[in-house]
Amino acid sequence: MPELPEVEITVRTLKKYIINQKIYDVTIFNGNLRYKIPPNLPKILKSQTINEVKRRSKFILFKTNHNTLLSHLGMTGRYIVKKNSLKLDTSFYNKKNVIKKHNHLLIRFKKFSIIYNDIRKFGFIKIYNNNNISRHLSNLGPEPLSKLFNYKYFEQKIKKRRISIKNILMDQKFVSGLGNIYVNEILYASRINPNTSCFKLKKSQIFRILKFTKLILQSSIKKGGSTILNYHNSEGRTGSYQSEFKVYNRNNDSCLTSGCNKKIIMSIVNGRSQFYCPKCQKL
DNA sequence: CGGGACTCCTGAGGGC
DNA sequence: TGCCCTCAGGAGTCCC
């Protein structure tokens, strides 16, 4: 489940291989994603050069002189880097020469290729002209690691809201890049119950959320993100931050705060599982 | 406004 | 070993 750290790792890895590289050709294996891959994508991208690869929220932006390829990994999307080989690349094809399951797109450069693979098809790939890409990202809130995500912004945005802190942290318009896993971890580290209404938050609590948001995300990026089920980075490596999880997926396990023996509680709110310690995160 | 239900999708994992 | 069922969740939409 790629959230900000996993997308950041993906972008950093891709950069190493495709910056300033000319696109030789693009092949759509299977255009069925959340939105259909534009059929004219290969024609548009052919012979263009990737000038920049960057992350905004959980989106990946591949920039050329004219266009921006905008991609979201959804739940199971990933970009895989493969060295080009003269031989039929067996990682693209299975024994019967059929395109491997879940490979959707192939972008070939001189020495390397990147493949977009997505099991559950919740991700997408869109293409824009550079002059109109920004309005497609204009609804996004500030980056959680930026200085824009600060006390003044936070307090201003939430002071009259009755929405729970868990749900607003998941709202990409409020802050962009967090998902269910990291929000659970941030609230545990901050000692705040996920059901707390925003307007009830004290100043000190807001400061804790800001502090731990930045701390946890940075720490996860350092560890290569989290590997759950099938997340691997573009070089096939796994992250290790999942071993740092304090509450996520620890239903009925003991709280890890020293001196606290309470069991972690799981409940479903807004269709998402939330995990918290009833003692450390009192309402 | 806020939360609930539903949608897309497939594989993992539990129960029997 | 096997089948059936449920569940996971980002993000959008619709509804009350």
Side-chain angles (χ1 to χ4, degrees), chain A residues 52-63:
Chain A
E52 197 183 356
V53 183
K54 62 177 195 175
R55 179 189 62 73
R56 171 73 175 101
S57 181
K58 299 175 202 169
F59 296 94
I60 302 172
L61 289 83
F62 302 81
K63 286 190 168 297

Side-chain angles (χ1 to χ4, degrees), chain A residues 174-237:
Chain A
F174 173 67
V175 58
S176 65
L178 303 179
N180 198 42
I181 294 172
Y182 289 101
V183 168
N184 273 297
E185 293 300 316
I186 290 163
L187 290 175
Y188 174 79
S190 307
R191 301 287 182 261
I192 294 164
N193 188 291
N195 297 317
T196 310
S197 291
C198 284
F199 73 96
K200 287 183 178 166
L201 287 171
K202 298 188 186 84
K203 190 172 179 176
S204 61
Q205 292 180 307
I206 293 175
F207 273 113
R208 289 212 295 281
I209 293 170
L210 289 164
K211 176 179 138 190
F212 285 111
T213 297
K214 291 165 201 276
L215 215 65
I216 285 172
L217 292 179
Q218 277 159 351
S219 156
S220 177
I221 291 169
K222 268 188 199 150
K223 301 214 168 217
S226 306
T227 297
I228 296 166
L229 296 182
N230 63 357
Y231 170 80
H232 291 67
N233 78 8
S234 302
E235 293 166 322
R237 282 203 280 274

Side-chain angles (χ1 to χ4, degrees), chain A residues 3 29-30 42 46-47 62 81-82 85 93 137 143 147 155 163 188 210 236 252 257 273 279:
Chain A
E3 300 182 28
F29 295 139
N30 176 357
K46 193 178 167 78
S47 298
F62 302 81
V81 178
K82 290 287 180 190
S85 157
Y93 299 88
L137 301 170
E143 286 286 323
K147 286 181 177 161
E155 199 263 342
I163 189 175
Y188 174 79
L210 289 164
N252 267 333
T257 301
S273 52
K279 187 176 168 192

Side-chain angles (χ1 to χ4, degrees), chain A residues 22-278:
Chain A
K22 185 178 165 185
I23 297 170
Y24 274 63
D25 54 54
V26 177
T27 309
I28 299 173
F29 295 139
N30 176 357
N32 295 325
L33 291 173
R34 182 177 177 82
Y35 311 113
K36 198 171 173 61
I37 300 176
N40 59 349
L41 186 79
K43 198 179 274 185
I44 294 171
L45 286 179
K46 193 178 167 78
S47 298
Q48 292 207 58
T49 297
I50 303 279
N51 299 328
E52 197 183 356
V53 183
K54 62 177 195 175
R55 179 189 62 73
R56 171 73 175 101
S57 181
K58 299 175 202 169
F59 296 94
I60 302 172
L61 289 83
F62 302 81
K63 286 190 168 297
T64 69
N65 280 338
H66 305 293
N67 299 99
T68 299
L69 188 93
L70 178 73
S71 183
H72 194 290
L73 302 177
M75 296 296 304
T76 52
R78 53 184 166 148
Y79 281 91
I80 303 160
V81 178
K82 290 287 180 190
K83 201 175 190 326
N84 289 343
S85 157
L86 289 173
K87 288 183 292 181
L88 190 63
D89 191 326
T90 51
S91 65
F92 297 172
Y93 299 88
N94 64 18
K95 284 174 190 163
K96 291 177 183 168
N97 278 353
V98 175
I99 303 302
K100 260 199 171 175
K101 240 180 166 179
H102 312 311
N103 283 343
H104 292 269
L105 184 79
L106 168 72
I107 304 177
R108 202 165 59 89
F109 301 89
K110 192 174 181 184
K111 290 182 178 167
F112 293 95
S113 293
I114 60 172
I115 303 162
Y116 181 71
N117 179 284
D118 192 341
I119 298 171
R120 292 187 202 167
K121 301 182 173 75
F122 278 17
F124 63 78
I125 293 165
K126 291 179 170 185
I127 184 99
Y128 295 103
N129 291 327
N130 282 342
N131 57 19
N132 65 9
I133 180 69
S134 60
R135 70 188 149 99
H136 293 278
L137 301 170
S138 58
N139 274 340
L140 292 173
E143 286 286 323
L145 290 173
S146 78
K147 286 181 177 161
L148 296 173
F149 189 55
N150 56 33
Y151 180 78
K152 195 179 166 193
Y153 170 80
F154 205 116
E155 199 263 342
Q156 193 66 29
K157 278 271 179 186
I158 67 156
K159 59 183 175 189
K160 287 180 182 166
R161 303 288 302 272
R162 307 188 73 83
I163 189 175
S164 76
I165 183 62
K166 165 102 184 334
N167 284 345
I168 205 160
L169 288 173
M170 302 266 297
D171 183 349
Q172 305 299 303
K173 292 191 283 296
F174 173 67
V175 58
S176 65
L178 303 179
N180 198 42
I181 294 172
Y182 289 101
V183 168
N184 273 297
E185 293 300 316
I186 290 163
L187 290 175
Y188 174 79
S190 307
R191 301 287 182 261
I192 294 164
N193 188 291
N195 297 317
T196 310
S197 291
C198 284
F199 73 96
K200 287 183 178 166
L201 287 171
K202 298 188 186 84
K203 190 172 179 176
S204 61
Q205 292 180 307
I206 293 175
F207 273 113
R208 289 212 295 281
I209 293 170
L210 289 164
K211 176 179 138 190
F212 285 111
T213 297
K214 291 165 201 276
L215 215 65
I216 285 172
L217 292 179
Q218 277 159 351
S219 156
S220 177
I221 291 169
K222 268 188 199 150
K223 301 214 168 217
S226 306
T227 297
I228 296 166
L229 296 182
N230 63 357
Y231 170 80
H232 291 67
N233 78 8
S234 302
E235 293 166 322
R237 282 203 280 274
T238 57
S240 66
Y241 191 75
Q242 68 281 5
S243 63
E244 312 279 319
F245 290 166
K246 304 286 195 292
V247 281
Y248 184 78
N249 227 0
R250 295 195 65 253
N251 187 26
N252 267 333
D253 289 347
S254 295
C255 174
L256 293 173
T257 301
S258 66
C260 178
N261 300 318
K262 282 276 187 273
K263 300 247 186 273
I264 301 299
I265 289 176
M266 190 200 84
S267 58
I268 303 291
V269 176
N270 242 348
R272 296 290 170 269
S273 52
Q274 63 177 32
F275 301 87
Y276 65 97
C277 169

